[in-house]
Amino acid sequence: MTAALIEARALGKSFGPTPVLREVNLSVEAGRGAAVIGANGAGKSTLIRLLAGLSAPSAGGALLFGEPARALAPPLRRRVGLLSHQSFLYPNLTARENLEFYAALYGVDGARAAVAQWLERVALGGAADARVRGFSRGMEQRLALARALLARPDVLMLDEPFAALDADGAALAAALLREAIGRGCAVLASAHSAGAMEELGFAVFTLNRGKLVRPQASAVRQSPPRPSLARQFS
Amino acid sequence: MSGRGIRLWLGLVTLALMLAALYMIFVYVPTEAEQGIVQRIFYFHVPCALVAFVAFALVAIAGVFYLWLGQQVWDDLGYAAAETGMVFCTLVLVTGSIWAKPIWGAWWTWDSRLTTTLILWLLYGGYLMLRAMAGDSEQGARFGAVVGIVAALDVPIVIVSVRLWRTIHPAVLVTRQGGHGLEDPRMVATLLVSLAAFTTLFIWILCLRFATLRMHTRLGALARSLALAEAAAQDS
Amino acid sequence: MASFAARSFVAVLRKDLLLEVRGGQSTVALGALSLLVLVVLVFAFNPAGGERGAAAAAGALWVALVFSGMLGATRAVSGESENGCIRALLMSPLDRAALYAAKLAAAFIFMAVAEAASIILMVLFFNLEFDLRVMRLAPAVMLGALGFAALATLLAGISSRLRGGDLVLPLLAVPMFVPALIAGVKASAAALAGAPLGEFAVWLKVLVAFDVLFVAAGYLLFEYVAGEE
């Protein structure tokens, strides 16, 4: 029995004849973080989309909770959070309305209070009732991060979480990721460069022309201790 | 027997039956008293219509199996059936139109059967447009299956509504549609041979098209593995 | 679980209606399009009033319904493609069937508002009377709007995911809608001409059958349309 919450098994994806991902093997356990870095077009986003079940693999398997990501039952879908390069926010709704809508979809308990709390956490308390259309890219990214974390997922996947964030925003995002890992969430993130990810204690992998490699394995530090070991077996 | 062998034999059987049908239609069968020589087009028209219906039913059946099992082979079958059915459906409209001109005095009448056939033609024309636009992707196959199923569900209600539409406002011309009773046994024989000929023709074309699509699918898989092997070679 | 599906249905529909009240584009655009179609058809038919005027008016009303329905369903579904929201909906625990039901409900509401406006405009433009006969139009038009919304929502799920898909929607939706179109035009003409109820009822039965068929088909098949790409 595998304890990996996120797992790619010999995962491959081709668009037409062109291979984008080849034989990718990766697994992330509860309370661990993994980062995939690579140049634009290296296949980072494709990998995350496959693992999120938004795209069908050409070969191998993309698994969440040990189940194929494409055919996840609703109760398991509830436990997955995704931050994509698209914000998943409705421009004509306010920040609060956006979060309240997703809170209703995810059946978050005490939605109103939880939403208010999240808005404060991502420093959008002042802009809570402004429409997202007028948001700066950084504000939108912070709200998107709150959206992904709203239902306290056990699996979190983030496509370039630090993109468009200033220093404060990046620190906030890092804190949120650390907290998620601390409560036993399995996190997979993509990024342009390894620096910030190594600081978080993530295991860093490099995607190179669709192949996943693990450079300078000695340089990767151990993940922080997991406080809720039992969680991965629940 | 290999797929190629089956197709060859099917082709030969089709050829033989088609020659027999042509002989019977143009030489053997007596000319119908009321409509004259033009009534012979009936032996082309009716088999085409039946074959088109069978083909479109096949599209829906293949669609159900594709959605259920997710195997590409079902989509290849459904797509081949839609294209082949469209050819025969077009033939129904063309032969119907040629037949209608001398008998009803117009190239087109909104007779219930003609109208239904036209709607079918439009429906599956839309299906083919969709497939052309979606390209050969898994998504296109899924969309094709859904549209194929919905279109087939639509057909009975199209038939009922068009019939109601025509009977509530009866046109004089329509009543003459029923006027081609096959009183002569030679007519029945000719129709049966013609039906057999068109059925085998349909199966033959379907098999050819299906085989082409299968090859296309296999070619795509080969191109993918080739590209993967090339990329792997570059790694080392 | 059923109550969860119901709650998420309400959440999506509420969000769509809220967006509509905010942006207000769909119903206004639908109403404007219906108005234009009616004006064009008045020029085309030059209606004289009376029974033939009623038949022309019924036809015009249904042409307007088809056009506004296409726009309504497209907007309800394609509203989700901005910022990739549809992907978020697909990843959420939201049931595909509940998503379909919510989109269908939104498209139907947009269409119903536009249709109510077109009926009023039709009476004015075609010089008819506001009386009981116009009231009898309502069931036919609403059944037609429901059927078209059911059909077009399913197909918009397809067309919104294809490049050049806006072309595919009418090509598929109009032929499929033919039975309801025939029944709707006939029922409306019968209603406006004050025909006996029996003639009217036959066509309503066809409309009901069409609605049942396509709501069920959409409900069952939307899952395959809205799946991953």
Side-chain angles (χ1 to χ4, degrees):
Chain A
M1 188 55 216
T2 169
L5 295 190
I6 308 174
E7 190 178 7
R9 277 192 205 150
L11 184 60
K13 178 74 180 177
S14 301
F15 290 120
T18 322
V20 180
L21 291 177
R22 297 181 286 142
E23 301 257 338
V24 172
N25 286 297
L26 176 77
S27 73
V28 189
E29 294 166 20
R32 300 275 182 161
V36 175
I37 60 171
N40 283 334
K44 302 188 299 279
S45 297
T46 306
L47 177 61
I48 285 183
R49 286 158 64 100
L50 284 169
L51 285 168
L54 287 171
S55 181
S58 311
L63 311 174
L64 294 178
F65 308 103
E67 307 272 336
R70 292 173 68 196
L72 224 51
L76 287 181
R77 286 210 298 266
R78 208 195 153 279
R79 295 166 60 194
V80 180
L82 172 69
L83 175 75
S84 153
H85 62 278
Q86 289 173 306
S87 70
F88 294 167
L89 300 168
Y90 295 91
N92 273 338
L93 294 183
T94 66
R96 191 190 304 280
E97 285 163 348
N98 264 299
L99 291 191
E100 278 178 353
F101 169 61
Y102 284 108
L105 281 191
Y106 279 86
V108 173
D109 296 325
R112 201 164 284 256
V115 165
Q117 199 185 335
W118 270 109
L119 287 168
E120 289 301 330
R121 288 222 59 185
V122 295
L124 286 171
D129 295 306
R131 288 192 202 180
V132 171
R133 187 173 289 292
F135 277 21
S136 73
R137 187 72 189 86
M139 289 163 83
E140 204 175 336
Q141 181 78 354
R142 273 183 280 149
L143 186 59
L145 199 59
R147 190 208 72 83
L149 286 162
L150 185 62
R152 295 174 59 84
D154 296 322
V155 160
L156 182 61
M157 285 172 284
L158 312 107
D159 197 354
E160 308 211 0
F162 299 121
L165 290 179
D166 56 16
D168 287 351
L172 174 71
L176 289 173
L177 291 192
R178 234 182 237 119
E179 183 193 295
I181 287 181
R183 64 174 171 79
C185 181
V187 180
L188 175 68
S190 75
H192 272 301
S193 57
M197 292 299 166
E198 280 174 349
E199 251 166 60
L200 279 169
F202 278 33
V204 176
F205 301 86
T206 305
L207 257 182
N208 186 20
R209 295 190 306 112
K211 261 277 205 241
L212 196 66
V213 285
R214 187 166 184 174
Q216 332 104 5
S218 58
V220 178
R221 273 178 285 158
Q222 269 299 303
S223 300
R226 286 164 282 164
S228 56
L229 247 172
R231 233 191 137 81
Q232 55 184 283
F233 300 109
S234 64
Chain B
M1 200 173 356
S2 70
R4 184 176 295 197
I6 293 173
R7 289 194 293 277
L8 179 68
W9 278 105
L10 258 176
L12 290 175
V13 171
T14 306
L15 181 69
L17 276 170
M18 200 48 93
L19 285 174
L22 285 176
Y23 172 79
M24 291 176 87
I25 291 167
F26 288 109
V27 182
Y28 169 77
V29 81
T31 302
E32 208 257 347
E34 203 178 319
Q35 300 191 14
I37 199 97
V38 74
Q39 185 266 344
R40 283 166 203 258
I41 205 166
F42 162 82
Y43 303 108
F44 295 101
H45 184 73
V46 171
C48 282
L50 279 172
V51 163
F53 265 96
V54 170
F56 293 150
L58 208 52
V59 177
I61 293 167
V64 169
F65 276 97
Y66 178 76
L67 292 184
W68 181 24
L69 302 170
Q71 293 160 335
Q72 181 61 32
V73 58
W74 292 108
D75 178 56
D76 290 340
L77 179 64
Y79 199 178
E83 285 183 331
T84 318
M86 196 64 184
V87 172
F88 284 96
C89 195
T90 309
L91 283 176
V92 177
L93 290 178
V94 172
T95 51
S97 201
I98 295 172
W99 191 11
K101 181 66 180 165
I103 301 302
W104 295 340
W107 291 112
W108 186 263
T109 63
W110 292 97
D111 151 67
S112 69
R113 275 170 241 203
L114 273 181
T115 309
T116 304
T117 313
L118 178 66
I119 305 298
L120 273 186
W121 192 83
L122 290 171
L123 274 175
Y124 288 90
Y127 171 94
L128 292 180
M129 286 284 289
L130 168 72
R131 294 307 302 260
M133 235 170 237
D136 46 86
S137 59
E138 198 242 336
Q139 196 183 42
R142 221 154 7 91
F143 290 170
V146 168
V147 171
I149 293 169
V150 175
L153 290 177
D154 199 31
V155 169
I157 196 165
V158 168
I159 293 172
V160 169
S161 64
V162 169
R163 196 168 291 162
L164 273 174
W165 178 54
R166 293 284 51 164
T167 46
I168 286 185
H169 283 262
V172 190
L173 295 173
V174 180
T175 53
R176 286 185 59 180
Q177 172 93 27
H180 50 66
L182 300 174
E183 57 283 339
D184 194 306
R186 282 176 294 176
M187 289 181 173
V188 179
T190 307
L191 178 63
L192 289 178
V193 171
S194 184
L195 265 177
F198 273 89
T199 307
T200 50
L201 177 66
F202 164 67
I203 297 173
W204 184 49
I205 296 177
L206 184 71
C207 282
L208 287 175
R209 186 67 190 122
F210 177 62
T212 319
L213 286 172
R214 289 306 297 154
M215 276 191 257
H216 187 78
T217 304
R218 245 172 269 149
L219 195 63
L222 277 177
R224 266 198 301 281
S225 11
L226 189 65
L228 274 175
E230 260 175 25
Q234 280 175 26
D235 286 341
S236 50
Chain C
M1 209 57 222
S3 74
F4 180 72
R7 257 186 297 148
S8 45
F9 164 80
V10 171
V12 177
L13 181 59
R14 204 179 141 258
K15 185 264 302 169
D16 279 350
L17 295 181
L18 183 63
L19 278 176
E20 178 55 30
V21 173
R22 284 284 155 75
Q25 292 150 332
S26 302
T27 25
V28 172
L30 260 57
L33 187 67
S34 303
L35 169 66
L36 285 177
V37 168
L38 287 174
V39 169
V40 167
L41 290 176
V42 166
F43 287 138
F45 291 153
N46 200 11
E51 190 164 334
R52 293 203 41 203
L61 187 65
W62 282 79
V63 174
L65 183 136
V66 166
F67 276 97
S68 67
M70 229 123 52
L71 198 67
T74 313
R75 296 202 67 112
V77 172
S78 71
E80 298 294 350
S81 52
E82 205 169 3
N83 285 341
C85 290
I86 182 72
R87 298 204 173 94
L89 294 188
L90 293 177
M91 283 199 66
S92 77
L94 170 70
D95 186 41
R96 266 66 163 154
L99 177 60
Y100 174 75
K103 291 289 154 190
L104 166 58
F108 174 71
I109 291 172
F110 298 161
M111 280 182 78
V113 172
E115 284 325 299
S118 344
I119 289 181
I120 296 170
L121 289 170
M122 177 199 72
V123 172
L124 297 175
F125 288 177
F126 285 81
N127 297 317
L128 306 174
E129 297 294 330
F130 283 105
D131 56 17
L132 198 67
R133 286 178 297 177
V134 174
M135 291 305 292
R136 278 170 57 188
L137 272 179
V141 170
M142 289 304 138
L143 283 172
L146 178 63
F148 197 87
L151 171 63
T153 303
L154 177 66
L155 295 175
I158 290 176
S159 67
S160 68
R161 295 177 145 233
L162 292 176
R163 231 166 281 141
D166 357 344
L167 208 65
V168 169
L169 181 63
L171 283 175
L172 289 172
V174 173
M176 283 188 190
F177 192 60
V178 161
L181 192 62
I182 291 174
V185 171
K186 288 291 171 185
S188 306
L192 286 177
L197 221 57
E199 193 178 322
F200 186 63
V202 173
W203 295 115
L204 282 192
K205 275 187 216 157
V206 174
L207 279 170
V208 169
F210 184 89
D211 286 7
V212 169
L213 193 68
F214 276 91
V215 171
Y219 193 76
L220 294 174
L221 291 172
F222 193 69
E223 182 187 342
Y224 300 103
V225 167
E228 80 291 334
E229 53 257 56

